[in-house]
Amino acid sequence: MTLLFQLLVNGLIVGALYGVVAMSFVLIYKASRIVNFAQGEFLLIGAWTCWWLLTSWQLPFWIGFPITLAFMLAFGVILQIVVLRPMIGEPIISVIMVTIGLSIVFQAAMKWMFGVFAKPFPPIFASPTVNLFGLEVQTVYVMSLLISILIMAGFGWFFKYSRTGLAMRATAFDQQVAQSLGISVRHMFAMSWAISAMVSAVAGVTVGVVNGVSSALSFFGIKVFPAVILGGLDSVIGAVVGGLIVGVLENMAHYLDSQWLNWGNMYEIAPFYVLIAILMIKPYGLFGTKDIERV
């Protein structure tokens, strides 16, 4: 039971990270109807940037981390303006293929710049673990949980009360109507990519501190995809719920596998079984909007 409770707590903490990255998926999809297959590379670039600032420039984490977030914010804006803005009006499949190409380019660039082997972060916290309800939990996971909760609350406030958030919601609902109301759709697109890149960097740094930084970090973006589908591609709340469900499901699958099944890979594949089941039963996800087309 102690192991089960430990895995449940870990699942909730990791699930909160999944929820944050899933919100980044949803943010871009709601604004531009594009599924960004380079989302995992945003995590990788953010992690490598923070690692480089901390190791090469010897900056403390509390300085290097905000600089990383600022860099990723600018990186998202530049990427959208230079690469994706010229694709406005093109078929969606063409834009998706561009994101797949960006994924490959970013992967190759990071391997060329930093190598192919995992590199650990320098020690960040005085104590690597903290006692939480009688369980030893890594300090960086506790930090990530607090940051994830703040990001989720910030997203809720941003979309409900801020002028920019309301403008982004209007753009997602109908781009032509938003333009007629004086909203710059191009600016909303750029902002959605900027926020998505910055939020993904938070998850990338957190996972990098625990496991080291390597190209395998980009696979995190693929693992989040079941959470996005589970919650609904156009639902921010669904992204959070889906992330938490997938995080807990992974760890429960690991518990079942280690105690009884002994298959050896349930932790990795369980979310994708759920993805297939959801697509068969409820294609729009738990909170997704069902499109009705009349012919």
Side-chain angles (χ1 to χ4, degrees):
M1 291 303 296
T2 302
L3 175 62
L4 179 63
F5 188 53
Q6 176 83 57
L7 290 173
L8 180 62
V9 172
N10 288 345
L12 289 172
I13 294 174
V14 174
L17 272 181
Y18 285 162
V20 167
V21 181
M23 285 193 301
S24 302
F25 263 109
V26 170
L27 182 62
I28 290 178
Y29 182 79
K30 282 177 69 70
S32 56
R33 297 293 167 182
I34 296 171
V35 177
N36 178 24
F37 283 96
Q39 198 72 48
E41 279 62 38
F42 284 174
L43 277 76
L44 183 61
I45 294 171
W48 275 126
T49 301
C50 189
W51 177 87
W52 179 73
L53 290 171
L54 268 58
T55 56
S56 297
W57 290 84
Q58 302 296 316
L59 295 179
F61 182 76
W62 62 273
I63 294 179
F65 185 58
I67 293 176
T68 299
L69 299 184
F71 168 78
M72 291 303 295
L73 191 72
F75 176 78
V77 172
I78 294 171
L79 181 67
Q80 199 280 330
I81 292 175
V82 175
V83 178
L84 295 158
R85 183 170 292 179
M87 299 296 294
I88 293 178
E90 298 295 328
I92 294 296
I93 186 63
S94 300
V95 185
I96 292 176
M97 292 304 296
V98 168
T99 67
I100 294 174
L102 288 172
S103 171
I104 297 171
V105 169
F106 292 154
Q107 276 272 11
M110 294 298 102
K111 290 179 180 178
W112 174 65
M113 294 173 65
F114 299 104
V116 296
F117 298 106
K119 296 180 181 178
F121 264 80
I124 295 174
F125 302 102
S127 175
T129 61
V130 294
N131 189 281
L132 189 65
F133 304 115
L135 300 174
E136 291 295 322
V137 181
Q138 295 200 49
T139 307
V140 66
Y141 274 160
V142 177
M143 179 201 74
S144 72
L145 178 62
L146 296 176
I147 292 177
S148 298
I149 292 172
L150 289 175
I151 290 175
M152 292 172 188
F155 263 70
W157 177 87
F158 178 75
F159 284 115
K160 193 169 184 178
Y161 297 108
S162 71
R163 290 176 60 88
T164 304
L166 292 172
M168 291 184 73
R169 288 172 60 187
T171 303
F173 182 75
D174 193 311
Q175 294 180 15
Q176 291 183 339
V177 172
Q179 275 190 316
S180 68
L181 295 173
I183 297 172
S184 174
V185 174
R186 290 186 173 185
H187 289 169
M188 295 302 105
F189 284 177
M191 184 162 292
S192 67
W193 281 84
I195 296 174
S196 178
M198 182 181 68
V199 171
S200 296
V202 174
V205 171
T206 301
V207 178
V209 170
V210 176
N211 300 325
V213 189
S214 70
S215 58
L217 188 61
S218 60
F219 185 65
F220 200 87
I222 301 300
K223 291 178 69 176
V224 167
F225 200 65
V228 179
I229 300 299
L230 177 61
L233 262 174
D234 59 351
S235 172
V236 174
I237 295 176
V240 176
V241 174
L244 292 172
I245 292 174
V246 169
V248 172
L249 177 66
E250 276 188 345
N251 282 270
M252 292 302 99
H254 177 65
Y255 177 76
L256 290 173
D257 193 28
S258 62
Q259 297 297 314
W260 293 292
L261 299 178
N262 297 316
W263 291 354
N265 62 348
M266 284 296 293
Y267 180 87
E268 296 289 341
I269 64 176
F272 295 96
Y273 284 145
V274 174
L275 172 62
I276 295 171
I278 289 295
L279 288 174
M280 292 173 61
I281 299 170
K282 199 166 184 180
Y284 295 99
L286 297 176
F287 299 91
T289 303
K290 186 175 182 179
D291 292 329
I292 300 176
E293 295 184 7
R294 293 180 173 85
V295 180

